[in-house]
Amino acid sequence: MFTIGDFARLGRVSVRMLRHYDSIGLLRPASVDPHTGYRFYRADQLRRLNRVIALKELGLTLEQVRAIVDDAVDVAELRGMLRLRRSQLAEQLAADTARLAAVEARLRMIESEGRMTTQDVVLKEIAPVRVAELTAVAASYQGEDIGPVIQPLYPELFRRLSAAGVNPTGPGIAWYEPADAGGDAVVVHAGVLVDAEPAAAPDVVVRDLPELRSAATIIHHGAMDDVEPSMQALARWIEENGYRTDGFAREVYLDYCADTPEKGVTELQVAVYRD
């Protein structure tokens, strides 16, 4: 048999933890010296210890763990529980990573406030264009909701256009509209300029994007995750010049590479009007 210290090292736990498990009846020593009070454990008790630790890492309370191990959970059941927990942790990690990216983007926005001036804004008319598009719905207009929706649309759009023998004739254009009145969801339109008839690509919508008779525009340099300073400059110009906005901004991807989004060049176009 093993002393409590040796057993702790073999099981990669602390002596304090083993003492606690003993006190609550979760993992009793195989024997206790009646004179010294020293605890001793058998090698086969590592099996129970491993199950206790695994179940605890699933987020179960020690009371729940004891109920399960006392019912002799078999290897297959334990494996299934651990795989489920692994999947949950992976989802949580992905969500936390996305939140961290959003926080970092917001910090960059705060740090760059004031660098872009309203002198970078140009008021102009935007001519109508013909585009091929795919659409999907995002939960909101926030970057963390838009990004995962729009990013897969463009590769699929180009794949379908290629299959139909339709070649883009200009940059990609994204635009947005409310999915339902009063809600946060938005319809995401991922489009690209084409010179084709509406029926040229059966798996893609080909349509004419209407003109914007008056649009406040600005050139954004960098990834779209860092677009907020450019949007702030647009907002200041619109307010200072007495305009009101009409809908979401259009995004014209003048220069974009998925591998180096930080080198992107995007024109933001916001339809505006005066009362």
Side-chain angles (χ1 to χ4, degrees):
M1 288 196 289
F2 302 96
T3 65
I4 190 171
D6 290 339
F7 188 75
R9 284 189 289 273
L10 290 168
R12 293 187 295 178
V13 296
S14 68
V15 169
R16 181 178 58 82
M17 181 181 291
L18 289 177
R19 287 174 177 155
H20 179 56
Y21 289 172
D22 179 17
S23 69
I24 63 175
L26 185 56
L27 181 61
R28 298 287 194 189
S31 68
V32 178
D33 188 299
H35 303 293
T36 64
Y38 289 167
R39 299 170 175 88
F40 294 91
Y41 295 82
R42 297 189 310 269
D44 60 9
Q45 289 183 281
L46 285 171
R47 183 175 181 275
R48 183 179 176 96
L49 177 62
N50 288 335
R51 279 160 173 69
V52 168
I53 299 302
L55 292 168
K56 183 180 159 200
E57 289 178 350
L58 287 176
L60 301 177
T61 67
L62 292 180
E63 285 297 322
Q64 292 170 324
V65 169
R66 181 167 59 183
I68 291 173
V69 295
D70 285 346
D71 285 340
V73 176
D74 62 29
V75 173
E77 290 176 307
L78 186 56
R79 185 183 297 116
M81 296 171 72
L82 288 173
R83 284 176 174 169
L84 175 61
R85 181 56 174 165
R86 180 177 63 185
S87 176
Q88 293 171 336
L89 290 173
E91 291 178 2
Q92 180 180 332
L93 178 61
D96 289 344
T97 300
R99 278 194 290 270
L100 178 59
V103 169
E104 290 175 344
R106 192 64 63 174
L107 284 173
R108 289 194 296 271
M109 177 196 74
I110 293 171
E111 291 167 354
S112 63
E113 283 179 347
R115 293 181 188 172
M116 295 197 68
T117 70
T118 56
Q119 294 177 350
D120 299 310
V121 177
V122 175
L123 183 69
K124 62 183 180 181
E125 181 178 349
I126 306 297
V129 291
R130 175 156 291 189
V131 298
E133 66 159 344
L134 292 179
T135 62
V137 176
S140 77
Y141 191 53
Q142 290 182 276
E144 55 264 34
D145 290 328
I146 293 293
V149 173
I150 196 171
Q151 288 167 6
L153 287 179
Y154 273 104
E156 180 63 17
L157 174 62
F158 292 136
R159 186 192 68 77
R160 295 187 186 185
L161 289 176
S162 177
V166 176
N167 295 317
T169 59
I173 302 179
W175 68 102
Y176 311 89
E177 60 185 353
D180 50 69
D184 292 330
V186 295
V187 179
V188 179
H189 298 262
V192 65
L193 269 63
V194 295
D195 183 11
E197 294 302 315
D203 294 333
V204 172
V205 174
V206 176
R207 59 176 288 191
D208 293 321
L209 200 57
E211 68 175 348
L212 298 179
R213 294 191 176 183
S214 182
T217 68
I218 194 169
I219 301 297
H220 168 69
H221 296 269
M224 289 303 293
D225 287 342
D226 299 325
V227 75
E228 284 86 357
S230 299
M231 292 298 293
Q232 284 188 3
L234 264 180
R236 289 198 307 272
W237 185 93
I238 291 168
E239 183 178 64
E240 290 170 3
N241 288 273
Y243 284 95
R244 297 174 66 87
T245 62
D246 185 14
F248 295 98
R250 290 183 187 176
E251 301 163 3
V252 182
Y253 305 119
L254 302 174
D255 189 1
Y256 176 77
C257 177
D259 294 332
T260 55
E262 70 279 1
K263 296 181 180 179
V265 180
T266 305
E267 183 178 62
L268 305 175
Q269 303 172 345
V270 178
V272 295
Y273 66 94
R274 282 188 174 132
D275 292 328

